[in-house]
Amino acid sequence: ELRTQKLNFRYVQIDAVGVSISNVSAPFLPVFLTRLGATNFQVGLLSSMPGVTGLILAILVGRFLQTRRNIVPWFSTARLLVISAYTLTGLVPFLVPRQFVVPAVLLIWAAATVPQTMVAVAFSVVMNSVAGPEGRYELMSRRWSILGLTSAITVALAGQVLDRIGEPINYQVVFLALSLGGLISYYFSSRIQLLDQQTPLPENQGSIRARLRGYLELVRHEPAFISFTLKRFVYLSGITLAAPLFPLYFVRELDAPDSWIGLVSTAQTAVLLVGYPLWARLSRRYGSRFVLLASTLVVALYPGLIALTRDQTLIIGLAALAGIFQAGMDLVFFDALMRTIPPQYSATFVSLAQSIQYLAAILAPMLGTLLAAQTSIGTALLISAGLRLVGFLLFAMPFRRKK
């Protein structure tokens, strides 16, 4: 038992190395399509397709996974299929005429949204099972720190390759080489050993309405889950509302160069290596509620502070500060969600929480750009901060405990 737990812990960390190697390709994908002549709409599809598919399919995927005795094979295979999309992206220009490359790549990533949805649901279930009730902070802080460190090294190497080889073959080489991380991920994630699930969903043989009623009845008996998920929806709406606004603000309001914008991103991600272990220690000393309130308060203030300054040095400092507190928020959101979920129905409840998260990811960015067009980018960033503060105040209310 203890040996299996230690092996699982190790497999999760090595899997993180493989995943981070492959995921380095993600920011280069829209650049690759743009250089091949993709329109703004086509590039936008890359960002929106996973959210739309997830919103439609997450609950169905959760229901399917709930009835599997062991979801590890589904998790590891789905991850491999997603990463294989980078392999196919690298091969497409060799196989189809140039005018069809962009539609072909979009078709590949449209298909990849199905296993992406399965990974999104299965990930939380598998990580929670490996960590156990008391090990979530330690497991996820180490995993996400490894992801950050591996990504930083791999990005630097990928940048050198892109600079030294002509376009578009340079992107193809990067996609093909980095997708090998998928094999590392698959090999180690598939070796994770979990106890078989013994509690599938209740059988509902009636109409769709009867099945839906049974599903809602199951959720209704978990008020802590409903409360946390709705509060998180408000807060995440404030997060995603600002997502398209930051680059617009930096370029149009500050007229900042690309190199400086890159520094802001680097500042936010580099501090995560410090942030994750820091918050894991603070959670042991002060508890999860302290982490929740401290991290959500500071991250809430971030877009408002950005909107109120044009000092580029100060903005980099604020980005680094927000990055440290973002690490705490990542950890506590995962821990708090899994605390509210009945273990025997984890796939079902995670899929519902994921659907609500997808809803925020689809609607809020559109609202953000609309607000920016009707008022100003700075005003829209202040509204984002206001919405996050509403979420913070909801979190600050006393938790409703299960009886």
Side-chain angles (χ1 to χ4, degrees):
E1 177 79 22
L2 185 60
R3 183 173 181 275
T4 300
Q5 190 176 16
K6 286 183 176 178
L7 284 173
N8 284 345
F9 199 97
R10 187 181 306 157
Y11 294 151
V12 164
Q13 309 309 334
I14 303 174
D15 166 62
V17 174
V19 170
S20 59
I21 289 171
S22 298
N23 283 353
V24 163
S25 296
F28 297 122
L29 192 56
V31 178
F32 176 60
L33 289 186
T34 303
R35 301 218 187 269
L36 290 172
T39 64
N40 288 349
F41 173 74
Q42 288 172 322
V43 173
L45 277 177
L46 271 180
S47 301
S48 61
M49 286 189 301
V52 173
T53 304
L55 184 63
I56 296 168
L57 293 182
I59 290 177
L60 293 175
V61 167
R63 189 174 182 86
F64 172 80
L65 291 175
Q66 186 67 59
T67 60
R68 304 304 100 183
R69 281 195 171 277
N70 184 2
I71 72 168
V72 169
W74 298 95
F75 168 64
S76 56
T77 303
R79 175 85 78 186
L80 182 63
L81 289 174
V82 174
I83 293 173
S84 297
Y86 289 114
T87 310
L88 293 175
T89 299
L91 292 174
V92 159
F94 294 127
L95 303 175
V96 303
R98 187 179 175 95
Q99 65 267 33
F100 298 120
V101 169
V102 172
V105 170
L106 288 174
L107 193 61
I108 289 166
W109 284 97
T113 59
V114 177
Q116 270 180 318
T117 303
M118 183 166 287
V119 169
V121 175
F123 175 82
S124 294
V125 179
V126 172
M127 294 302 115
N128 185 57
S129 298
V130 170
E134 304 304 322
R136 297 185 190 108
Y137 276 91
E138 184 181 1
L139 180 75
M140 300 314 296
S141 66
R142 288 198 190 182
R143 180 182 172 88
W144 285 333
S145 295
I146 288 169
L147 278 167
L149 180 61
T150 310
S151 295
I153 295 169
T154 313
V155 163
L157 294 173
Q160 294 298 313
V161 172
L162 290 173
D163 285 345
R164 285 170 164 73
I165 304 176
E167 295 175 3
I169 193 75
N170 56 347
Y171 288 96
Q172 294 174 247
V173 169
V174 165
F175 292 148
L176 290 169
L178 295 181
S179 63
L180 293 174
L183 298 178
I184 299 172
S185 169
Y186 177 77
Y187 180 79
F188 287 98
S189 64
S190 63
R191 294 169 73 87
I192 294 170
Q193 297 179 41
L194 303 179
L195 294 174
D196 287 349
Q197 290 187 158
Q198 300 297 328
T199 315
L201 276 175
E203 288 295 326
N204 292 311
Q205 300 297 338
S207 64
I208 292 176
R209 180 180 293 180
R211 294 183 183 189
L212 181 61
R213 192 161 53 242
Y215 186 87
L216 292 175
E217 186 68 16
L218 188 66
V219 174
R220 191 176 66 82
H221 283 94
E222 302 297 335
F225 169 80
I226 296 170
S227 174
F228 176 76
T229 306
L230 292 179
K231 291 173 184 178
R232 190 180 70 152
F233 171 76
V234 173
Y235 197 90
L236 289 179
S237 295
I239 294 276
T240 53
L241 187 146
L245 301 180
F246 286 117
L248 292 175
Y249 185 77
F250 295 154
V251 173
R252 295 182 184 173
E253 300 290 330
L254 302 184
D255 195 24
D258 287 341
S259 57
W260 178 85
I261 295 172
L263 280 177
V264 173
S265 178
T266 301
Q268 281 184 306
T269 53
V271 295
L272 295 177
L273 298 175
V274 177
Y276 288 127
L278 172 67
W279 288 107
R281 284 197 299 274
L282 289 173
S283 72
R284 288 193 292 270
R285 186 168 182 177
Y286 299 108
S288 290
R289 185 160 175 79
F290 167 78
V291 177
L292 176 69
L293 297 181
S295 60
T296 52
L297 176 59
V298 174
V299 174
L301 296 174
Y302 175 63
L305 294 173
I306 294 297
L308 295 174
T309 183
R310 291 177 174 272
D311 186 322
Q312 295 187 3
T313 305
L314 178 60
I315 287 174
I316 291 175
L318 290 172
L321 179 67
I324 289 176
F325 283 83
Q326 177 71 46
M329 199 178 78
D330 291 342
L331 290 170
V332 77
F333 272 14
F334 175 74
D335 179 65
L337 175 65
M338 300 314 295
R339 282 178 187 273
T340 67
I341 289 175
Q344 68 272 33
Y345 293 121
S346 55
T348 300
F349 281 81
V350 166
S351 65
L352 179 58
Q354 201 70 41
S355 294
I356 294 170
Q357 187 171 331
Y358 282 129
L359 188 63
I362 293 168
L363 296 180
M366 292 190 290
L367 177 61
T369 51
L370 179 65
L371 288 170
Q374 295 297 317
T375 56
S376 69
I377 301 170
T379 302
L381 284 171
L382 289 170
I383 292 170
S384 165
L387 188 54
R388 295 182 197 198
L389 283 171
V390 171
F392 162 76
L393 292 173
L394 291 173
F395 284 128
M397 292 178 181
F399 282 150
R400 187 177 175 184
R401 300 288 183 186
K402 286 194 298 182
K403 294 181 181 177

